[in-house]
């Protein structure tokens, strides 16, 4: 690899040092700009009734959003704490700066709120205005969301009691969980550590550890019973006050998706749970087991020693990105030259991987590269987000940010590309393990998340119909929905149901669908690309669309109709093909 490539973040792309006087200059500039915007438009209200006045106001509003000064100071210190958790100085600066920045942006909140209160008739005029054509989608989203706003004093009260109705309950549950451990083979293991090791243990051990964890979760489930009942009741009260018809309506609206389409999508996946059952039949065969237990759902069926150093991984990405489109490989090249990727684990550095893009600032990717196949997939995944971010910068400021449900399409698509590239270079034995692991991920992302979505639907519906939920009922419903996607080979035990105590998804109402949605759309896109290489142009069109339209409209613009179950069946078809491929590999073994 070229020695000039950097494997750590170069934060001088933001500021020369924590003492850089530019930091204070930036903060002042942003504070001044917000204050002057607020001064002007809190008095001058023509923008609420006149097209030209609104167009002018929105241009200034966009300029405010485009100011790198509004993000750079906080981003800089945030990244410093991400690289070193012990950097207390940066943490303190971050807190101070965040407070100043949020005070400044609070000055301009009134603008959105006032726009939301425009009478419907006037909204219609604005939405049809030629002068406001480029801001139409922004306005439409704002008006659509504002329909559910309450009066200002009511909003204030709801904001304040969110802490007691939701946050403090979830925090209490977290604290309780954090104190729990299990004793196994003379070792004391915290619950997350126990869960992490389960998939790589032998069958007997993993079932033992799993059962110990479930027993522990059951023993503390009295609190989760109260917690979930409280936050689901709080959610119900909010939904009723705001006028949301279904428990999932608010989430789907915030991800800019169409409710009917998403329910069609979830129902289509549910109808095809048999694909997941077919995968588990293969897993059972590979693991030489007649029956499976909940502990086995993510179990490995082997591992292989193939090293993927960062240099080698970069070569693989470069080569296959280049084959797709030179623009992709050139983005990766630039990131490596400029120090926008932090590659290796370090003491104090945050775990996991992510890509962080901000308006007007360079995008930074964080990895914890561990020289294995998973690391390469993660590298490709995060670069998928990064490429999407770069392409979206061709949009006007208001549309640069894309929603979560399209974000995961881009990232998993690049993961697909890379996986295929690597897969072809493996031995037959390695292929079986790699494909099994890959399918295992897909099943977890698509079928398990939709099973969770269905579980959440029934939890909220039961609570709304019956007024309360017992822990036994929560556990029973958990098992019902998990069994549905896991299939006939699984024996679910009563205690398995207490996984709900641990499952954080249940506390982030319905967001799970976005992962399944993204993964399935990207499978379909990948399939189309495989059949017709010129399809990459459509993929680039999708990447450039940012947040300029609803996800449904973005996909429609590249010839995909997400309102029809057929399209999602196409994505599922690809999974089925991979399962058949794995069946064949096992037969030929
Ligand atoms: Zn992602």
């Amino acid at each position: 690899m070229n020695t000039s490539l950097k494997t750590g973040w170069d934060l001088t792309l933001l500021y020369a040092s924590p003492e850089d006087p530019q930091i204070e200059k930036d903060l002042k500039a942003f504070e001044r700009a917000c204050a002057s915007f607020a001064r002007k438009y809190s008095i001058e209200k023509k923008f609420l009734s006149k097209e030209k006045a609104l167009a002018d106001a929105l241009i200034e509003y966009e300029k405010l959003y485009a100011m790198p000064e509004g993000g750079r100071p906080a981003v800089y210190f945030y990244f410093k704490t991400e690289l070193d958790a012990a950097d207390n100085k940066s943490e303190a600066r971050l807190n101070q700066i965040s407070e100043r920045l949020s005070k400044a942006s609070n000055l301009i909140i009134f603008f959105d709120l006032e726009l939301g209160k425009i009478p419907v008739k006037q909204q219609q005029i604005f939405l049809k205005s030629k002068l406001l054509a480029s801001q139409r989608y922004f306005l439409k989203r704002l008006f659509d969301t504002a329909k559910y706003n309450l009066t200002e004093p009511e909003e204030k009260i709801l904001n304040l009691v969110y802490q007691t109705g939701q946050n403090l309950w979830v925090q209490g549950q977290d604290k309780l969980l954090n104190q729990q451990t299990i004793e196994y083979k003379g070792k004391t293991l915290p619950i997350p550590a126990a869960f992490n090791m389960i998939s790589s243990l032998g069958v007997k051990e993993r079932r033992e550890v799993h059962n110990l964890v479930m027993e522990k979760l059951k023993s503390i489930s009295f609190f989760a019973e109260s917690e979930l009942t409280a936050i689901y009741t709080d959610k119900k009260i909010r939904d009723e006050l705001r006028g949301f018809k279904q428990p999932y309506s608010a989430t789907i609206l915030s991800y800019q998706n169409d409710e009917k389409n998403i329910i069609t999508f979830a129902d289509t996946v549910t109808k095809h749970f048999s694909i997941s059952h077919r995968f588990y039949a293969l897993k059972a065969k590979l693991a030489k087991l007649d029956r499976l237990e909940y502990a086995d759902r993510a179990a490995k069926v082997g591992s292989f020693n193939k090293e993927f150093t960062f240099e080698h991984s970069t070569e693989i990405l470069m080569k296959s990105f280049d084959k797709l489109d030179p623009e992709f490989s050139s983005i990766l090249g630039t990131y490596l030259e400029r120090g926008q990727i932090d590659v290796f684990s370090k003491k104090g550095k945050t775990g996991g991987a992510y890509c962080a893009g901000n308006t007007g600032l360079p995008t930074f990717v964080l990895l914890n590269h561990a020289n294995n196949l998973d690391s390469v997939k993660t590298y490709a995944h995060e670069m998928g987000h990064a490429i999407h971010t770069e392409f979206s910068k061709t949009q006007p400021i208001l549309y640069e940010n894309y929603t979560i449900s399209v974000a995961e399409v881009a990232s998993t698509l690049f993961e697909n590309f890379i996986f295929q590239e690597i897969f072809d270079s493996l031995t037959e034995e390695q292929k079986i393990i790699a494909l099994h692991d890959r399918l295992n991920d897909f099943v977890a992302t698509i079928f398990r998340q939709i099973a969770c979505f269905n579980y959440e639907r029934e939890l909220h519906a039961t609570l709304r119909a019956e007024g309360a939920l017992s822990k036994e009922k929560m556990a029973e419903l958990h098992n019902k929905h998990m069994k549905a996607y896991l299939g006939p080979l699984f024996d679910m035990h009563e205690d398995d149901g207490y996984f709900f105590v641990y499952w954080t998804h249940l506390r982030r109402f319905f967001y799970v669908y976005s992962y399944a949605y993204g993964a399935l759309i990207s499978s379909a896109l990948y399939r189309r690309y495989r059949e017709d290489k010129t399809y990459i142009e459509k993929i680039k069109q999708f990447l450039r669309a940012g947040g300029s339209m609803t996800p449904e409209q973005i996909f429609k613009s590249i010839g995909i109709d997400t309102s029809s179950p057929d399209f999602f069946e196409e994505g599922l078809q690809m999974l089925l093909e991979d399962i058949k491929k794995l069946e064949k590999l096992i037969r030929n073994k």
Side-chain angles (χ1 to χ4, degrees):
M1 198 167 80
N2 189 327
T3 46
S4 73
L5 300 186
K6 300 176 184 160
T7 55
W9 279 345
D10 182 359
L11 295 182
T12 65
L13 292 170
L14 300 170
Y15 293 112
S17 77
E19 284 73 42
D20 191 337
Q22 190 60 39
I23 298 173
E24 187 53 33
K25 279 186 201 158
D26 280 357
L27 283 165
K28 288 233 169 75
F30 187 66
E31 286 168 336
R32 263 199 310 273
C34 289
S36 105
F37 183 90
R39 252 195 320 275
K40 185 164 174 191
Y41 292 103
S42 52
I43 300 164
E44 175 56 67
K45 303 279 182 165
K46 266 196 219 142
F47 71 93
L48 297 172
S49 55
K50 300 271 181 295
E51 290 171 42
K52 174 79 172 81
L54 179 55
D56 290 344
L58 285 173
I59 288 171
E60 288 198 38
Y61 182 79
E62 276 186 81
K63 276 190 200 149
L64 215 49
Y65 265 80
M67 284 181 78
E69 293 92 333
R72 185 161 47 204
V75 165
Y76 176 71
F77 287 105
Y78 174 73
F79 283 155
K80 287 188 81 67
T81 61
E82 286 288 274
L83 293 180
D84 181 10
D87 184 353
N88 296 329
K89 260 193 187 158
S90 291
E91 202 185 322
R93 291 284 298 276
L94 176 62
N95 289 339
Q96 285 172 332
I97 287 169
S98 304
E99 216 181 300
R100 277 176 74 177
L101 290 174
S102 65
K103 255 190 207 153
S105 6
N106 276 343
L107 292 176
I108 55 167
I109 287 180
F110 77 92
F111 187 73
D112 282 16
L113 291 178
E114 300 249 350
L115 285 178
K117 282 187 279 189
I118 292 174
V120 175
K121 230 174 124 191
Q122 185 61 44
Q123 289 184 1
Q124 293 309 326
I125 297 174
F126 283 156
L127 291 177
K128 284 189 196 116
S129 159
K130 271 200 185 125
L131 206 55
L132 293 163
S134 62
Q135 288 104 348
R136 182 175 297 139
Y137 180 58
F138 168 78
L139 289 171
K140 178 151 187 347
R141 268 190 61 205
L142 201 140
F143 296 153
D144 284 350
T145 315
K147 268 190 255 172
Y148 302 97
N149 287 352
L150 301 173
T151 64
E152 251 172 81
E154 286 170 331
E155 287 291 344
K156 265 191 193 148
I157 296 171
L158 281 189
N159 264 339
L160 291 171
V161 296
Y162 188 70
Q163 188 70 355
T164 46
Q166 165 91 24
N167 282 353
L168 291 173
W169 279 104
V170 177
Q171 272 173 33
Q173 172 64 22
D174 256 4
K175 279 185 193 162
L176 179 64
L177 270 173
N178 284 341
Q179 285 178 9
Q180 307 307 311
T181 53
I182 58 158
E183 299 293 325
Y184 187 66
K185 291 192 174 164
K187 271 199 201 125
T188 305
L189 295 167
I191 306 283
F195 269 126
N196 275 341
M197 62 189 253
I198 283 178
S199 66
S200 41
L201 290 174
V203 56
K204 187 168 160 280
E205 287 86 0
R206 75 170 167 257
R207 288 178 180 179
E208 278 169 6
V209 171
H210 170 89
N211 291 339
L212 286 170
V213 174
M214 290 304 152
E215 217 174 276
K216 183 56 88 176
L217 293 179
K218 186 180 181 181
S219 75
I220 57 163
S221 60
F222 61 91
F223 188 80
E225 178 185 77
S226 297
E227 177 231 3
L228 282 179
T229 303
I231 69 171
Y232 279 38
T233 306
D234 182 75
K235 160 101 172 121
K236 171 181 156 244
I237 295 169
R238 283 164 192 274
D239 282 349
E240 279 170 4
L241 287 173
R242 294 186 184 284
F244 284 116
K245 291 222 170 62
Q246 300 293 344
Y248 44 76
S249 302
T251 307
I252 296 178
L253 178 70
S254 73
Y255 292 166
Q256 304 171 39
N257 275 124
D258 177 86
E259 194 169 308
K260 226 175 112 224
N261 285 357
I262 294 305
I263 297 306
T264 304
F265 156 68
D267 291 345
T268 307
V269 173
T270 306
K271 253 199 334 226
H272 289 82
F273 276 173
S274 58
I275 295 177
S276 161
H277 304 169
R278 190 160 165 181
F279 166 72
Y280 280 116
L282 278 181
K283 188 197 272 288
K285 200 169 178 183
L286 284 166
K288 300 191 175 64
L289 293 168
D290 294 329
R291 306 286 306 161
L292 294 169
E293 300 205 356
Y294 200 43
D296 304 326
R297 69 181 188 281
K300 301 260 176 217
V301 293
S303 60
F304 56 85
N305 271 342
K306 191 169 160 87
E307 216 193 25
F308 293 90
T309 62
F310 185 68
E311 285 77 3
H312 183 201
S313 307
T314 299
E315 264 167 42
I316 297 171
L317 259 65
M318 274 293 188
K319 205 177 108 204
S320 72
F321 284 8
D322 202 48
K323 219 161 46 183
L324 291 163
D325 192 282
E327 257 189 275
F328 300 155
S329 47
S330 116
I331 290 172
L332 176 57
T334 310
Y335 274 41
L336 288 165
E337 267 162 44
R338 302 203 337 146
Q340 288 172 256
I341 308 179
D342 203 86
V343 179
F344 300 109
S345 303
K346 268 191 301 269
K347 191 167 167 252
K349 176 177 160 181
T350 195
Y354 62 75
C355 164
N358 287 285
T359 303
L361 302 177
T363 298
F364 287 91
V365 170
L366 180 131
L367 303 174
N368 278 282
H369 197 87
N371 291 354
N372 53 27
L373 180 55
D374 277 344
S375 301
V376 195
K377 285 194 274 184
T378 305
Y379 186 10
H381 181 106
E382 300 310 332
M383 280 315 297
H385 284 311
I387 289 167
H388 192 191
T389 305
E390 296 301 334
F391 271 64
S392 295
K393 285 187 177 163
T394 55
Q395 288 290 335
I397 301 294
L398 293 178
Y399 302 134
E400 250 187 41
N401 292 328
Y402 41 78
T403 151
I404 295 189
S405 46
V406 296
E408 287 306 306
V409 176
S411 55
T412 50
L413 183 61
F414 281 86
E415 226 184 294
N416 279 332
F417 288 139
I418 287 301
F419 180 77
Q420 210 46 54
E421 189 78 29
I422 295 173
F423 186 75
D424 295 335
S425 74
L426 299 176
T427 67
E428 296 300 288
E429 198 63 32
Q430 290 171 335
K431 276 182 180 167
I432 290 177
I433 294 165
L435 193 53
H436 164 274
D437 290 354
R438 176 103 185 118
L439 283 163
N440 204 94
D441 287 348
F442 266 124
V443 166
T445 310
I446 296 171
F447 298 106
R448 183 169 171 78
Q449 301 309 329
I450 291 304
C452 181
F453 187 82
N454 295 339
Y455 176 36
E456 278 189 72
R457 270 161 91 176
E458 196 166 356
L459 282 174
H460 285 276
T462 311
L463 179 103
R464 286 171 190 214
E466 295 170 13
L469 272 168
S470 69
K471 52 190 191 311
E472 292 77 15
K473 184 76 184 169
M474 294 184 199
E476 180 199 318
L477 291 177
H478 169 276
N479 277 2
K480 170 184 157 188
H481 288 285
M482 296 309 113
K483 173 83 179 160
Y485 93 91
L486 292 167
L489 281 178
F490 277 81
D491 296 317
M492 298 294 290
H493 302 298
E494 199 192 312
D495 281 7
D496 294 335
Y498 289 86
F499 188 76
F500 80 83
V501 174
Y502 183 80
W503 216 350
T504 48
H505 291 347
L506 302 177
R507 280 100 180 149
R508 288 183 64 184
F509 315 129
F510 298 103
Y511 100 110
V512 286
Y513 89 81
S514 61
Y515 285 96
Y517 179 83
L520 210 46
I521 293 183
S522 89
S523 287
L525 292 185
Y526 177 72
R527 200 158 176 256
R528 290 192 182 191
Y529 167 77
R530 215 180 40 192
E531 271 150 33
D532 172 11
K533 297 283 183 279
T534 65
Y535 197 71
I536 198 69
E537 288 309 319
K538 298 274 182 202
I539 289 173
K540 286 172 73 181
Q541 195 183 320
F542 146 66
L543 293 169
R544 270 193 294 262
S548 59
M549 297 178 263
T550 67
E552 282 80 4
Q553 289 165 332
I554 292 175
F555 295 121
K556 204 169 172 186
S557 75
I558 58 166
I560 285 169
D561 179 9
T562 54
S563 69
S564 122
D566 298 352
F567 170 68
F568 291 106
E569 305 210 345
E570 188 182 329
L572 290 166
Q573 205 51 42
M574 198 187 111
L575 276 185
L576 201 55
E577 283 165 20
D578 277 348
I579 290 177
K580 286 180 186 160
K581 204 194 274 179
L582 182 58
E583 284 169 346
K584 203 170 152 206
L585 282 167
I586 297 173
R587 260 200 313 274
N588 295 343
K589 209 166 96 166

